[in-house]
Amino acid sequence: MTLTAEPPMPTHDPSLTPDLPEAAAPVRRIVIQGLGRAGLAYAAAVAQHPACVLSGFVEPRADLRSFAKAVGFAVPSAATLPKLLAQSPADTVIVSVPLAERVVAAEAAIAEGLALLIDGAPASHAEGAARLAASAATARAPIACATPVLFHPLFARAARLLKQGALGGTGRVRASVYVSRVFAPGAPPAEGDVLDVVGGELLQLLDGLFGAPARLTASGQRLYGDRLDEFHAELTLGDGIVAGVDGSWSVPGYPHAAYVIEAEGEQGRILVSDDALEVDLLRPCDDFPAGTTRQVLADMADPVVFDMGDPSRVLDALLARLAAGAVAGDALDSLRALRVVRAIAALRRSITAHSAAQELSV
Amino acid sequence: MSPRVRAKAQAPRLLLGASSLELPARTTRDRALEVAGRFREPESLAVTLVKALDAGAEAVYSGPSSTLRAALAELRRPVPVLARLPHTPPSEDLFHEPWLTRDPGDDSAAWNSMRASLAGLSMPVAAMRGDLAARIAGRMEQERDTLGAKSIAGLAVSSPLTDLALAAGNAKFFDQVLRFGRARFGGLAGFETRNLGYLLSQLEAWGIEPDFVIGPVNPRGFGMVPGPAQVIAAVKRLGIPVVASELRAGGTVLLADGARYALENGVTGLLPELVDLDDVAGELRGLSALAR
């Protein structure tokens, strides 16, 4: 891989780099495709990360390209990926376009042979997921998908603990997500519903912590219009674990989505949310002693190079995994992300069919 | 006039943060809900604001929240507000576009900035050139007006915008927005950030001196980016007035301990949030004595 001569952003001060694992060489040259909120946050994180440089922007909307320029990002931009690559070489693309455009954007990056990170759900429907899975099978570089909640330090810590078998055989799981969006000024947006906004992330979390859903039933409520405002589901996960799931975007008092997972097993119990991780174990596991332990966000090591929220954590993970040569089987796993798109589609079918059971191929 | 040669305004020593009423705060969900419930009635928040000022708080730090607006309307006494702008409601996550490209009203930023003072007269031309400060000037004035405050103590550029411009290395934005803020927001202008160490170092490198910078400082190092040691070194070395936020480190240390640590490490002002306080008057009185 060829290194660019000079990073385009001049502001990174190496003396301010926090104590992180050794920065992986070589430096990645990253393109941001989609200059919405997430795209700009990724651009900022990339501009300040010592292990990568910002190669340019792909955005068909002139107003968004103009805004990024006004923010101060002095890098090339173009309406399409091939046009940008003709001006500025790159080896990685971060796709942060609207949900409906993600499959096409991802296919363009795969066709160019570039490593790819898709921010959020990779497709809006099962057909898109199938199409993307077929494209991914021919990919010459790694493909990753980022679901922000999997990078929250408390959920990441819970995932590590569960992977080490802290609970023994897990029995019952309860999961919920609540957020206030229907009432918010200017909301809800023209498209989407509770499953699009938070349901997918909750299923990503369950799949990541306990395994892929094999069977589900679901019901839902439309309280304020034609769109789904609440859902309730029962999922049978990989090892036969049964998870009861609730989600709503119409509960007042939740400016940010509140994800909560509670799991019981033969060896103990875990309650994890973005507030705290509470663990009650019969025997020690990892650095958790037997008995009850409670940890909060301030107890978690969370070294980010530059804090732009979730994109900073995702970028750190992406760069580390690309340096290691693989992104499968961890929080960036694209196969899981595609699987969850199919699970959401099944959940919708179950709601439409009055809670009829839906089987899913794992 | 260059920000560097301008006579220094007095940086705030004690603010009462009210952002947590509508924006996510680094506290437990239960605590956030409890405090929001406590101040659901505007009269209750109004009484708390008056008590806070009497206890030594110099201003209330908040964006244009409807809760604060209703409370201010209850009071004849002017309550100085240090305006946190532009406003960044959490529901923006429903939209693909950056919040700043979505016009909150009918007026364009360039048109709004024409109404500004001498400091703002250069803004329409700058907006046409694509300058970030010019693009948001009108929006910030519009949002300031919706606060309904009889007294504006100053402008603090909110962290999402500060950190975006910081990452992009946009020195001109920092310089321009300081001039604009000082001219249009009561003489005091500064920045809120989640990357305090970087911001202070970069401001030094650019030779830009805001009246204050707001960022996390606490004994746990919680939210101190890129790391506690680097942040404290920058605070002590550079002499830019720093107002410490996140004093309770997400609820894991006592407010007085957090304040003491921050002051001992060079910060000049304290910003406890409503979610950090139980006895607002009593605890602010204690902090006021520490910060003096």
Side-chain angles (χ1 to χ4, degrees):
Chain A
M1 185 181 306
T2 311
L3 300 184
T4 49
E6 287 290 334
M9 293 294 113
T11 56
H12 178 72
D13 178 352
S15 70
L16 289 171
T17 302
D19 297 330
L20 289 167
E22 197 71 16
V27 170
R28 308 291 302 193
R29 296 165 302 174
I30 297 181
V31 168
I32 308 296
Q33 181 157 8
L35 290 174
R37 286 176 315 97
L40 283 177
Y42 275 112
V46 168
Q48 289 293 331
H49 203 293
C52 56
V53 294
L54 192 54
S55 284
F57 297 136
V58 175
E59 171 58 63
R61 281 175 56 177
D63 62 326
L64 296 184
R65 289 202 306 270
S66 161
F67 184 74
K69 191 176 173 189
V71 165
F73 292 112
V75 294
S77 63
T80 66
L81 185 58
K83 281 183 184 172
L84 180 78
L85 294 175
Q87 303 174 57
S88 182
D91 44 54
T92 304
V93 178
I94 295 177
V95 166
S96 51
V97 300
L99 180 58
E101 300 164 24
R102 278 180 208 158
V103 173
V104 172
E107 285 177 334
I110 291 169
E112 296 288 349
L114 304 176
L116 168 66
L117 170 75
I118 303 170
D119 180 65
S124 57
H125 46 72
E127 293 75 20
R131 193 173 125 186
L132 191 51
S135 300
T138 67
R140 288 169 279 150
I143 300 174
C145 290
T147 301
V149 71
L150 293 172
F151 292 87
H152 188 285
L154 288 165
F155 287 111
R157 187 73 188 84
R160 200 173 95 191
L161 204 53
L162 287 166
K163 195 172 270 185
Q164 294 181 6
L167 300 187
T170 304
R172 185 84 187 167
V173 173
R174 296 290 315 168
S176 65
V177 57
Y178 299 116
V179 66
S180 312
R181 286 296 176 271
V182 168
F183 312 107
E191 294 176 355
D193 60 18
V194 64
L195 288 174
D196 295 315
V197 173
V198 288
E201 283 209 38
L202 184 60
L203 261 58
Q204 289 277 1
L205 194 53
L206 284 168
D207 190 319
L209 296 179
F210 302 105
R215 184 177 188 276
L216 63 82
T217 61
S219 61
Q221 279 82 44
R222 291 172 172 80
L223 304 171
Y224 298 96
D226 295 336
R227 286 183 283 179
L228 200 64
D229 295 312
E230 294 183 356
F231 70 95
H232 313 279
E234 187 170 277
L235 275 63
T236 306
L237 302 169
D239 291 335
I241 300 166
V242 176
V245 182
D246 297 296
S248 172
W249 71 345
S250 56
V251 181
Y254 291 82
H256 267 187
Y259 294 88
V260 181
I261 304 271
E262 186 173 11
E264 286 183 19
E266 298 152 358
Q267 298 294 324
R269 175 181 161 274
I270 279 183
L271 176 62
V272 59
S273 69
D274 50 355
D275 270 358
L277 169 61
E278 293 176 19
V279 180
D280 191 0
L281 299 177
L282 291 179
R283 56 178 170 78
C285 183
D286 201 4
D287 54 354
F288 281 75
T292 303
T293 307
R294 185 174 193 273
Q295 294 192 333
V296 295
L297 197 51
D299 298 320
M300 299 287 117
D302 185 24
V304 285
V305 174
F306 189 85
D307 188 0
M308 289 303 294
D310 296 321
S312 297
R313 293 179 186 135
V314 171
L315 181 68
D316 273 345
L318 176 71
L319 293 169
R321 298 301 289 150
L322 288 175
V327 293
D330 66 5
L332 290 166
D333 192 347
S334 59
L335 294 178
R336 186 193 53 247
L338 291 167
R339 200 159 60 219
V340 166
V341 174
R342 293 194 295 271
I344 289 288
L347 210 142
R348 290 188 190 283
R349 286 197 303 274
S350 181
I351 291 171
T352 305
H354 306 288
S355 303
Q358 306 290 316
E359 304 292 334
L360 292 153
S361 55
V362 178
Chain B
M1 183 165 48
S2 150
R4 189 173 262 296
V5 299
R6 173 184 172 273
K8 280 190 175 174
Q10 184 68 48
R13 289 192 169 275
L14 183 60
L15 301 167
L16 171 65
S19 302
S20 55
L21 290 175
E22 297 204 359
L23 295 176
R26 281 167 159 166
T27 185
T28 63
R29 188 93 44 200
D30 288 347
R31 177 65 178 164
L33 288 170
E34 178 198 338
V35 172
R38 188 186 300 171
F39 297 116
R40 192 161 291 132
E41 301 301 324
E43 295 85 353
S44 133
L45 181 58
V47 168
T48 299
L49 298 180
V50 170
K51 284 182 177 175
L53 294 183
D54 290 345
E58 294 154 38
V60 176
Y61 179 59
S62 176
S65 85
S66 55
T67 314
L68 180 64
R69 186 166 57 243
L72 293 174
E74 293 290 327
L75 296 168
R76 287 186 188 170
R77 172 179 173 176
V79 174
V81 175
L82 181 64
R84 180 194 185 272
L85 301 173
H87 186 45
T88 53
S91 60
E92 292 288 345
D93 64 5
L94 291 170
F95 300 91
H96 172 69
E97 290 83 2
W99 72 100
L100 290 171
T101 63
R102 296 175 51 237
D103 197 336
D106 295 325
D107 297 343
S108 71
W111 171 251
N112 271 329
S113 62
M114 284 184 202
R115 301 180 313 196
S117 67
L118 283 174
L121 281 177
S122 61
M123 291 295 183
V125 177
M128 288 168 201
R129 284 202 310 262
D131 286 359
L132 182 61
R135 281 176 181 242
I136 61 157
R139 184 188 187 107
M140 290 200 290
E141 291 203 317
Q142 210 171 2
E143 291 180 347
R144 177 200 59 198
D145 294 346
T146 64
L147 258 169
K150 296 184 182 81
S151 169
I152 293 290
L155 166 70
V157 178
S158 56
S159 57
L161 182 59
T162 299
D163 291 335
L164 201 53
L166 174 64
N170 192 344
K172 193 161 72 174
F173 164 76
F174 286 88
D175 184 55
Q176 287 181 335
V177 85
L178 281 182
R179 292 166 192 255
F180 169 75
R182 284 167 178 153
R184 300 291 296 167
F185 285 77
L188 208 58
F191 301 97
E192 179 196 68
T193 181
R194 292 172 70 167
N195 295 281
L196 184 56
Y198 284 112
L199 180 60
L200 292 174
S201 297
Q202 201 59 65
L203 289 171
E204 181 196 34
W206 289 332
I208 294 173
E209 293 185 6
D211 298 317
F212 61 88
V213 167
I214 296 173
V217 180
N218 55 67
R220 299 290 304 275
F222 182 58
M224 293 171 70
V225 176
Q230 294 98 323
V231 168
I232 294 301
V235 170
K236 286 181 172 172
R237 189 178 79 241
L238 300 177
I240 294 172
V242 172
V243 178
S245 61
E246 306 288 355
L247 292 164
R248 294 206 58 206
T252 57
V253 300
L254 296 174
L255 181 58
D257 291 346
R260 209 170 285 117
Y261 171 86
L263 293 167
E264 285 169 3
N265 283 284
V267 312
T268 53
L270 304 172
L271 172 55
E273 265 289 336
L274 279 170
V275 292
D276 296 329
L277 299 160
D278 282 316
D279 170 13
V280 172
E283 288 176 274
L284 285 180
R285 212 171 285 120
L287 295 186
S288 179
L290 279 176
R292 205 173 291 136

